[in-house]
Amino acid sequence: MRFLVVENDKAQAELIKKPLIDKGYVVDVVLDGEQGWAYVEAFSYDLLLINTNLARLDGIQLCQRIREKGYIVPILLLTVEGSGVDQVTCLEAKADDLLVRPSTRRELFARIRALLHSPPKSDAAPLTWQGLSLDPVSRKVTYKQQPLSLSSKEYGLLELFLRNPKQVLTQTTILEHLWSFENKPYENTVRAHIKRLRQKLRTVDADHLIETVYGFGYRLKPLPENQPEPNLNDTSSPQEQSSRIVSVNSAVEQSPTSPDWLNSSDRFKTQISERIQTLEQMITTAQTFAFSPQLCQEAEIQAHKLAGSLGIFGLKSAYRLAQQIEQWLIAARQSPQTPISGESLNSLLTQLHQELQQSFKSLGEKTPKAIDSLFVTKPPAIASQPSGYRVLVVDDDLELTKQLQQVALNWNIQLDITTTLAQARAALSKNTPDLVLLDLVFPDHQKGGFLLLEELKHQFPKVPVLVWSVRDQIGERATVSRLGGKAFLSKSVSCSQVLEIIKDILQSTSTPAIKVLAVDDDEMTLNFLQGLLTSYGIEVTPLADPRLFWNTLEETVPELLILDWEMPHFDGIELCKTVRADRVWNPLPILFLSASQDPQKIQNIYQAGADDYISKPFAEAELVTRIFNRIERIHLLRSLAETDPVTGLANRRRSSYDLNRYLHLCQRQGQPFCLALISLDHIQSISNQYGYEVGEHLMRQFGKILQYQFRDEDIVAYWGSDEFLIGLYASSQVDSQKRISKLLTLVEKTVFPVTNYVQIQMTASAGLSIYPKDGLDLSSLYAASHAALHRAIAAGGNCCLTTAH
């Protein structure tokens, strides 16, 4: 685990650092608040220890800034007797705990263990994995009772693996957890330590336990499927659990043909049988009434789908036979005048039946593992919008919760309402929500809310709990904070305020899934892709009808496109060319997934603008690795090309594309759209007085405020010069003006620390225009907002004005 100590006294910092390092923690130390903030932004930490008396930015202000930004890392404030900092101040700053010095080392470690949700070390159980055992108390490591002698780094590396047994650890993740900033090595050092650890494990024949996942990192070798999972004493902190560790299914490197990947499924055999039966009926009709080009083409399509299905599920011999049938039908269609005997075709069908029977028999009538889940429900032809967040409400005030539930529909938040503690526990056992909204008092149990909160802390530590109650005293607030409550709200607040805080919490604790649009007229393939990729955190939108492609593309905004080659109405080549011909969508990565291995077809795919091609059958690891590689590359390129380096916001080029896309949606769906231009008042004068670096610093801080204040679906951009731009989709003039006015009030109240103990307070001005009232395109809306902004500045600034009519 990695800690950050922010302490202005070097001697005190060393007194804290040394025992932490002795306990095996990685520790960074900084000496003032601004440095502390820079480190928090740059690195992932499991715990922050912050002195309240700091230079440049004191500990209370640093704590508040960390929470305002949405970081959930545990914070332990350190103060001295008589400093005036008490538990109330600590809670108001949203710190997790306060330690008053002088204090003993024992008390310090007791507070740290409490914040990390770990038991006392005397009770810590060994971490085990397939005969490997690591004892956190004695720091002894054994494999099948054979002792292992490890260096400090080797021990820490092995402990990291054992605390994350089902996760792939990237080199970056290992660096962040096991090396401090001042001692941080290059990534090849990680490979060297992995190699040395494997050499130590090889002495007891255990080097096979750590394996490389190519393209990702390293992990513990998965347990056999029939072996129960180990009972690990996972004491990792919430920050560690939310770090950038790539979760990968235990079958990531297995081929789809591996027996471990298979189990019984009658549905799969039924689907294949139905597809073969349809093909046979077409061929029988064609043989009876001659092989007309139309009948051959219909049978050819069925054979192509059959080959794709067999290939994607790893039945290679049957896949090749289906391909031969497809080639036979292609030849018959292309030469309708040439007499062709149907005996060879019947022979291929007979061989296909025999091969499938033999395959099922040799596998013990087992078929791919994921099939049962793939055919439970039929995927929709048109992908619906993501369902959004799911919140469990535990409150007996049914009238209030129903009102909240109605308002939540506009926030893309689903509320599941329970009125008793028993109902809440039953709901939690069935499906884990993204957040729990909890009342404290129930008619049958005055302290029931506190009891459930404590249960949630231990059973669902990753689920944030937002408490709202009529009991709004400091005692209740302190208890909620101690029991792990994320925030506390009085029931006097409005429903919109409750939902705004819920959205803020969820957005700060969740990582957006990678979005992929898969277009294939074969629903078996779509079901397979959806089942496979979802397990890797990839959100798949399946589309079976290519005619709906463009609308679905604009509605879902994917980061990667998977296309089939042959489809009715529009084939994959046509869709690929359409995307490449559009200025907005041209950079979208396109991957073809097809059963065809014709070199000319593959060449045509690349000539149409495809980025990659995978032939069925394929290995699961190959597909997932290629997707992640493409996504990572496009993210890097976009970051360089579409982000303003000073403010960190989208630049004019990127935001123009997004604005035009939203305006197109508004036109089609009849929704309003607000375009706001915002400028910091007197920013040029401030830059002239203090220097351009101060001006850039203020612009950067203002950009962060904008990112925090607006939703993910809002457009937040730096337009150039001193202008910032906000685009609000489906927002009326009244609502938009309220939101912008709230922003201006926040800016006015914010104190911006600059340098040499200089603090600056600023104001901002804004101009608003509304689609379609003030314009139908980006150019006219910008002109209207620009005129309104200059009227606001001329009026003295610090105000928000709309267009004049």
Side-chain angles (χ1 to χ4, degrees), residues 68-104:
E68 287 170 359
K69 184 63 178 176
Y71 291 104
I72 59 172
V73 54
I75 299 175
L76 174 60
L77 287 180
L78 308 174
T79 189
V80 294
E81 276 189 296
S83 65
V85 178
D86 56 14
Q87 192 69 32
V88 175
T89 307
C90 172
L91 291 172
E92 289 176 345
K94 298 184 179 179
D96 296 277
D97 200 358
L98 175 70
L99 178 62
V100 180
R101 295 183 291 190
S103 60
T104 64

Side-chain angles (χ1 to χ4, degrees), residues 501-575:
I501 292 173
I502 288 174
K503 198 71 174 280
D504 286 345
I505 292 173
L506 291 170
Q507 288 176 345
S508 68
T509 57
S510 63
T511 304
I514 295 172
K515 293 183 179 180
V516 170
L517 173 60
V519 188
D520 196 314
D521 62 318
D522 185 352
E523 292 183 356
M524 287 181 69
T525 299
L526 290 178
N527 275 298
F528 173 82
L529 289 173
Q530 199 168 20
L532 168 65
L533 299 181
T534 301
S535 65
Y536 291 90
I538 300 174
E539 182 182 305
V540 180
T541 299
L543 181 64
D545 189 347
R547 291 173 295 183
L548 304 172
F549 170 73
W550 201 256
N551 287 347
T552 308
L553 180 71
E554 291 185 331
E555 290 173 0
T556 58
V557 195
E559 296 175 81
L560 181 134
L561 184 61
I562 298 177
L563 296 176
D564 186 25
W565 164 269
E566 295 185 57
M567 295 181 289
H569 310 297
F570 301 103
D571 63 31
I573 292 288
E574 292 173 310
L575 296 182

Side-chain angles (χ1 to χ4, degrees), residues 254-259 261-262 268 272 306-320 355-356 359-360 362-363 366-371 374 524-525 528 532 595 615-620:
Q254 293 180 348
S255 165
T257 58
S258 169
W261 194 79
L262 305 172
F268 170 71
I272 294 296
L306 177 62
S309 301
L310 294 169
I312 208 166
F313 293 122
L315 301 176
K316 293 184 178 180
S317 298
Y319 158 77
R320 284 191 284 268
E355 179 59 39
L356 285 173
S359 296
F360 292 143
S362 64
L363 292 172
K366 290 184 176 181
T367 49
K369 175 181 178 181
I371 301 302
L374 299 184
M524 287 181 69
T525 299
F528 173 82
L532 168 65
S615 175
K616 304 173 187 175
F618 57 84
E620 176 182 336

Side-chain angles (χ1 to χ4, degrees), residues 422-489:
Q423 289 178 357
R425 292 185 178 100
L428 287 164
S429 66
K430 293 179 181 178
N431 197 354
T432 304
D434 298 304
L435 181 142
V436 175
L437 181 62
L438 174 65
D439 191 8
L440 291 178
V441 182
F442 292 85
D444 57 339
H445 205 311
Q446 289 297 302
K447 294 187 178 181
F450 291 111
L451 293 175
L452 183 59
L453 180 57
E454 189 168 13
E455 291 175 22
L456 291 169
K457 174 183 175 181
H458 296 291
Q459 297 177 17
F460 302 94
K462 294 184 181 181
V463 178
V465 181
L466 175 59
V467 172
W468 69 334
S469 176
V470 294
R471 293 169 59 173
D472 189 14
Q473 302 299 317
I474 184 62
E476 281 81 7
R477 287 179 175 269
T479 304
V480 167
S481 177
R482 189 182 72 252
L483 294 176
K486 183 68 178 177
F488 191 104
L489 286 178

